[in-house]
Amino acid sequence: MASELVVAVAGATGAVGREMLKTLEMRNFPATKVIPLASSRSVGKTVPYKGQELPVSELKEDSFQGVHLALFSAGGGTSKTFAPHAAKAGCIVVDNSSAWRMDPEVPLVVPEVNPDHLDNHKGIIANPNCSTIQMVVALKPIHDAARIKRVVVSTYQAVSGTGQKAIDELDGQVRAMYNNRDIPVNVYAHRIAFNCLPHIDRFLDDGYTFEEEKMMLETKKIMGDDSIRVTATTVRVPVFYGHSEAVNIETERKLTAAEARDILSKAPGIVVMDDPSNNEYPMALTAAGQDPVFVGRIREDRSLENGLDIWVVADNIRKGAALNAVQIAEILLQKKLLG
Ligand code: NAP
Ligand code: 3JN
């Protein structure tokens, strides 16, 4: 590794960007300098890193001279515009948006699943959607053991996936209700407090949402297998942190629940919590603030010959975004592809 390792965080004032700074710090990432970037609105603000307050600079085309690694979480449009400038300056971009995920030239990586896809990057690497990340961590060992034919997933997604404004909206709505005030509805199409919205991101012509399409397409690309059929229903629930997923899996070869439990408990990045007789199963509250993907409720699907049902929970801002991006950077370092 070179003696210098300069890291920029684009979107450093946002929910994901702040978690990225925290994750770099917690994992002792060997950055010699960290540069927080955001919009012109944030110039003059600071963000915390290693006990200091770092000043935020405006993200510009020339922000990446002398920068080795840029972690982007400033929205798809921003990534589309600025990631190529960063790559052209010789910086490796790990992008959290959907802007580059399905580009055939761009690796889409979950370290527990397809770290080898990093070998052929061309300067931009994509971090998958949070709901996809936690699902593929659980699917990969099952696919390796029994070959997955089809996945049916329903998600229960926390408001933090939408960013800080949605965290504030749920908090504000609950307070308004308990104080008999008018309930502000600004972020989602309907009230989220004490409600569930089967609507994440925009609707597409065939009735799916873009979030559902992301899960369906990204899963095939990460698993490197176009034959896996995936259908998704993504739902926003009034939870602050932690996405939960009910995942139904049809396999080519029969796996018993005991075999699946054994395989999953030995897989990287997974903690199995599956003791229903003691009310033990993962919940959003279990995962919030934690690194692993938690799996429970592992059972054989009574309606299929070779089917499993599992329940998968992870912190959407950590493993679903910041942690996965930093793990990618760590592998680049191990492979001597960075610095
Ligand atoms: P957020 O809390 O709203 O933060 C947005 C960040 O982007 C802020 O730092 C903001 O800076 C910055 N930004 C916005 N427009 C910009 C511009 N034109 N130039 C420079 N910076 C700009 O949102 P978040 O939850 O952190 O999410 C940010 C992005 O990360 C999302 O849009 C999405 O693409 C990605 N994301 C990915 C996942 C995943 O599934 N892997 C999950 C969540 C989010 P200011 O404070 O200056 O406005
Ligand atoms: O809603 C969630 O729980 C996850 C949201 C992710 C997100 C939010 C805004 C824009 C994304 C993403 O990562 O897919 C994007 C995007 O399309 O970049």
Side-chain angles (χ1 to χ4, degrees):
M1 195 186 86
S3 54
E4 262 217 307
L5 183 52
V6 180
V7 179
V9 176
T13 52
V16 175
R18 284 174 184 275
E19 192 67 26
M20 281 173 165
L21 291 166
K22 218 196 292 176
T23 307
L24 290 169
E25 176 175 339
M26 278 173 34
R27 294 175 74 86
N28 248 324
F29 190 81
T32 51
K33 185 176 178 194
V34 170
I35 304 173
L37 303 169
S39 76
S40 55
R41 296 178 290 274
S42 293
V43 174
K45 291 185 187 167
T46 61
V47 285
Y49 177 71
K50 286 198 171 172
Q52 296 168 275
E53 286 293 325
L54 302 182
V56 178
S57 304
E58 183 181 352
L59 171 62
K60 292 185 179 156
E61 290 181 3
D62 64 359
S63 297
F64 302 97
Q65 296 303 326
V67 175
H68 300 93
L69 170 73
L71 304 177
F72 268 69
S73 65
T78 311
S79 295
K80 206 75 195 167
T81 305
F82 292 97
H85 291 286
K88 205 168 165 202
C91 171
I92 299 182
V93 173
V94 180
D95 180 39
N96 247 288
S97 81
S98 58
W100 300 97
R101 289 181 190 146
M102 296 314 297
D103 185 319
E105 302 265 277
V106 173
L108 180 65
V109 176
V110 177
E112 293 85 347
V113 180
N114 62 338
D116 49 308
H117 289 198
L118 288 173
D119 295 342
N120 299 314
H121 80 81
K122 295 187 168 63
I124 302 176
I125 295 157
N127 208 53
N129 175 268
C130 44
S131 301
T132 312
I133 292 176
Q134 66 182 69
M135 182 169 77
V136 295
V137 168
L139 292 183
K140 170 73 168 141
I142 293 174
H143 191 50
D144 288 346
R147 205 169 168 76
I148 294 174
K149 289 165 67 176
R150 182 167 186 252
V151 175
V152 182
V153 55
S154 301
T155 70
Y156 305 69
Q157 296 184 216
V159 296
S160 53
T162 314
Q164 192 56 49
K165 61 187 183 302
I167 298 172
D168 296 342
E169 174 123 318
L170 174 57
D171 181 78
Q173 287 181 352
V174 172
R175 285 175 199 279
M177 288 178 77
Y178 280 115
N179 288 292
N180 278 325
R181 293 196 307 262
D182 285 347
I183 298 164
V185 177
N186 298 310
V187 176
Y188 299 117
H190 304 276
R191 193 182 92 195
I192 183 63
F194 306 101
N195 202 5
C196 295
L197 309 177
H199 176 183
I200 300 186
D201 216 315
R202 64 182 192 274
F203 281 101
L204 307 176
D205 288 346
D206 65 356
Y208 278 103
T209 65
F210 190 35
E211 182 80 354
E212 290 159 354
E213 180 174 86
K214 288 174 198 171
M215 289 193 79
M216 300 190 300
L217 299 181
E218 292 176 20
T219 298
K220 291 168 188 269
K221 179 168 175 178
I222 300 161
M223 303 275 284
D225 190 341
D226 250 359
S227 72
I228 302 173
R229 284 171 290 153
V230 186
T231 183
T233 302
T234 58
V235 181
R236 186 74 64 197
V237 297
V239 163
F240 285 108
Y241 294 96
H243 285 4
S244 305
E245 300 178 345
V247 188
N248 178 265
I249 305 160
E250 185 178 2
T251 53
E252 215 162 270
R253 195 173 77 69
K254 168 92 184 158
L255 273 189
T256 65
E259 283 171 328
R261 207 170 285 118
D262 183 54
I263 289 164
L264 287 163
S265 62
K266 291 176 181 149
I270 294 179
V271 170
V272 170
M273 276 183 81
D274 196 19
D275 185 5
S277 60
N278 284 311
N279 299 329
E280 197 185 286
Y281 35 74
M283 300 170 288
L285 286 179
T286 316
Q290 304 295 321
D291 286 351
V293 172
F294 295 87
V295 184
R297 300 292 321 279
I298 301 164
R299 61 206 189 276
E300 288 156 41
D301 175 351
R302 289 182 185 174
S303 73
L304 276 178
E305 214 167 304
N306 298 338
L308 289 168
D309 280 297
I310 62 174
W311 176 249
V312 182
V313 187
D315 186 319
N316 50 302
I317 302 295
R318 276 208 184 187
K319 183 57 187 165
L323 173 62
N324 198 74
V326 173
Q327 285 174 319
I328 288 173
E330 288 170 349
I331 295 182
L332 291 171
L333 278 177
Q334 281 164 22
K335 287 178 178 268
K336 304 204 185 310
L337 295 169
L338 173 65

